[in-house]
Structures are given as structure tokens and as C-alpha cells.
Amino acid sequence: QAVRYTLRRLREGDPVHIYIEGERTWDGALQPPRPGTVRLALKAGVPILPAVIDGSYDAWPRWDRGLRAAPIRVPFGPPFRLPQLDERREREAALPEASARIMGEIARLLGVPMPDLVDNET
């Protein structure tokens, strides 16, 4: 139901924010993207505006109970589009390349090398 709701909002022209990794990191490193978020992007075919919350791990590590003083920056990259794919088979075939594109943009914004993160398991 969340996917249908999100697609409806996007069709109505509303912006939607999605954390592609699905959760906060345990060690400060990039995590593989959640395949469902990439599938959603491929089905919607709307512009993607990449952004990262850089410094959040230092400010609030997942394993810690409270916040710490640390600089936070939120850089945005240029918008880009993935192809709009209505057929499930097409989305599954495009998943590795789309995942790599999104994570490559995130790595670029963080100024880190592109890690080998793409995990296409459900």
C-alpha cells in the first residue's frame, strides 16, 4: 500500500523523499540500496534529486543514545532520470544499472569512491 500511495503522490506532482539505504548505517559506511526503493524509482520515472546527510553518523551514531556536536552538511546533486518501466521484467533487468547510478551519485556527493554495494536480492 505504501508503494501505491507514493506512486499516486508522484503522479499528482508531489515530491517524495526516500532514504535509498532504508536505515541508518551501523559503521558510517554506505550500505547497499534497498531494491524496492530502486524499483519504485524505475516505475515512477520521475526526476531524482540526489542528496545526502553528510556527518549524521558522527553526530548520532546508530549505537549511541544521544546526539553529539558535529558538523552536518546536506549537499544536493543535479537531478537525473531513470527510465520509466511499467513491466516488472524490465524493472528487474534494469535494477543493477539503476542501483549503481543512484549510489554513484550519492558516493560522488560524499566525495568517496563508489563502493561495490549493489545487492539485487529481494
Side-chain angles (χ1 to χ4, degrees):
Q1 186 170 343
V3 171
R4 284 191 295 269
Y5 177 77
T6 301
L7 288 170
R8 185 173 67 241
R9 297 299 301 257
L10 289 169
R11 278 192 301 273
E12 293 171 357
D14 294 327
V16 173
H17 177 89
I18 297 175
Y19 291 96
I20 192 92
E21 296 167 295
E23 62 185 352
R24 290 170 42 208
T25 179
W26 285 99
D27 61 4
L30 285 175
Q31 301 176 90
R34 295 288 175 110
T37 60
V38 181
R39 288 182 187 111
L40 177 65
L42 287 166
K43 182 154 180 77
V46 297
I48 296 172
L49 180 66
V52 297
I53 304 172
D54 188 18
S56 61
Y57 177 77
D58 295 327
W60 192 4
R62 187 170 176 173
W63 44 264
D64 205 346
R65 291 181 181 222
L67 293 171
R68 301 174 181 178
I72 302 285
R73 70 182 188 99
V74 184
F76 291 84
F80 66 93
R81 281 184 187 263
L82 297 174
Q84 180 174 0
L85 303 173
D86 292 323
E87 298 295 323
R88 176 179 282 178
R89 187 171 12 117
E90 292 176 320
R91 284 193 303 276
E92 292 304 311
L95 196 59
E97 185 178 334
S99 297
R101 173 78 194 274
I102 294 169
M103 294 309 292
E105 290 295 323
I106 291 171
R108 187 182 64 72
L109 289 171
L110 288 170
V112 299
M114 173 60 179
D116 184 21
L117 293 175
V118 179
D119 177 12
N120 294 316
E121 295 182 26
T122 309

